Amino acid sequence: MTARARDRGWTTLAGRPYADVLIIGGGINGLATFRDLAMQGVDVALVERDDFVSGASAASSHMIHGGIRYLENGEFRLVHEAVTERNALLRTAPHYVRPLQTTIPIFSTFSGVLSAPLRFLRHGGGKHRERGAALIKIGLVIYDSFSRGGGVFGRSTVPRHTFHGRARSLAQLPQLNPDVKYTATYWDASLHDPERLAIDVLRDGRAAGGDRARAANYTAAVGVDGGRVVLRDTLTGDELRFSASVVINAAGPWTDFTNLALGDPTRYMGGTKGSHVVLDHPELLAATGGRELFFENEDGRIVLIYPLKARVLVGTTDLEHDMADPVVCTEAEVDYFIELIGQVLPTIPVERSQIVYRFAGVRPLPGHDDVSPGFVSRDYRIESAPLGEGDATVLSLIGGKWTTFRASAEHLADRALELLARPRRGSTRGVPIGGGRGYPTTERARQQWISAHAAAVPPARVATLLDRYGTVASAVADAIEADADDALLEHLPGYSSGELRHLAATEDVVHLDDLLMRRTSIAFVGAATADAVAEAADAVAPVLGWDSGRTAVEVGRALDRVHAADPTWIPAAAR
């Protein structure tokens, strides 16, 4: 890694090993809290033991949603907040958050109307009954009421739901199971590039705080010594003692592990595993009609089939998980996904060979004893405890989800500000994020933006960059123009060597898989072939200071990480 890139992380922490607030955990909730505190002028530092956004935040269903199914759990406060935050993100991050038409296939009329309240009282226990049209209609009416009145800007940003009978449903979606009785269609929002949105949040925090907002990936909190947190550079093994008045534990499903390292053996967490597969399947893609299919599987689990980036995302499971075990998408889960596709789209065959990517993560849910996984609260709370024998306070975030990241970060920041006896300067509510700032939302504005930024970089290329990065594309285009060796890549159509070098040099890339899995969509769409990975490595090696030996190691590591859940993949060590 270049000295310049590393200076953005570990070196800045080692040079000044103290801050008002230290955040542990570089997922979306930690990064959003970092941004919020930086905007308040707080001296804040953040550490992440792996790459930024590489844990639970990297395993999302790529949705920003109000959580209609949480109404059945009685979580009205959470749904109202989530709808409010969804509506706001459609405006503050329009480059990545966009309206998503969602259709629910329904196979009965009154089923579940009586059993749903009993399931709520029993915390998901008892015999499962299918959710019928009447129950779904009730839920959507409530959901619409939140959408119409819950927006930050005083009005809804999405249309009301609609209901259709069998004939019209099959006319709109001909491949649906012919046993369908109704379809209900409503609107939520898609999250096209979760990891890139998180990088935007990180960039905004650094820009707001300057030298008083520092963040380092591949930096672990491994202990406490004399009231200071012991940090370890996982690249070199170097350690330092870091002082802070407030320590925020935003480690997600690893919250208890982090508290244990800090000398406090908590038992807050009880996350469940969710897996997804991505298919390159044109027939299945066409059958979705460009909308998400969101429905109930036979086991009662709510699952989805979702067109995204010319692929189809299918998910998700909700399984108890021991954090000591690997977090991977298993063959049993793949069987589950193929079966559920067959229930809703029975004429479309699906083969394992059409799966181009698999991923899994553990939701940062609270411990839930005998409560059924689907009924575990998706809300969040903050726990407080002293740090060792010193005067510092540890705030642990329990729960949290992508949709509500701004709100949960604001609550965490408010608690930190209270402990620091500092006033809040302003809210993050309504503040544009990264490439959403000045993003053209009409076709005319889009063409004007492209024309204004198309000089040495052709308009078609600028359009691609705008889709990928929002208005941050202007900096990417400038870097491409300034790179004398820039060239389109043979095995990664649409990417160029200068583009990848810019990302590697400016976005804390340490390993090649950081670039393939989290700074781009290369892995997600199944483009990370052996040839493509080698080509990408050769492109970024100069700016990351890799020699031929290191480059070969990075290629092997990246391929292993990208294909970790594929049972046919042979790891580099065994080849």
Side-chain angles (χ1 to χ4, degrees), residues 343-401:
Q343 291 177 28
V344 175
L345 302 166
T347 63
I348 298 179
V350 176
E351 304 292 337
R352 272 176 162 75
S353 61
Q354 294 164 315
I355 297 173
V356 296
Y357 190 56
R358 311 179 188 198
F359 61 95
V362 177
R363 301 172 181 88
L365 303 181
H368 50 274
D369 299 322
D370 295 328
V371 176
S372 174
F375 273 71
V376 180
S377 174
R378 266 52 175 179
D379 212 339
Y380 57 87
R381 70 178 195 271
I382 301 168
E383 297 285 351
S384 176
L387 176 66
E389 301 300 321
D391 296 328
T393 300
V394 178
L395 300 175
S396 297
L397 176 65
I398 316 303
K401 56 201 294 288

Side-chain angles (χ1 to χ4, degrees), residues 117-167:
L118 293 177
R119 278 178 56 79
F120 168 67
L121 293 173
R122 295 168 180 165
H123 304 291
K127 184 177 179 180
H128 167 69
R129 294 292 300 275
E130 178 184 1
R131 298 166 179 90
L135 183 62
I136 292 171
K137 179 69 174 180
I138 292 169
L140 285 172
V141 169
I142 298 172
Y143 198 62
D144 274 352
S145 71
F146 287 168
S147 293
R148 309 309 289 187
V152 170
F153 298 87
R155 59 185 178 86
S156 175
T157 56
V158 297
R160 294 180 184 272
H161 79 273
T162 57
F163 250 80
H164 297 306
R166 178 178 180 274

Side-chain angles (χ1 to χ4, degrees), residues 14 33 41 44 61 91 113 206 226 249 286 304 504 545:
T33 306
V44 58
S61 295
R91 290 183 167 89
V113 171
R206 282 173 164 162
N249 181 354
L304 56 92

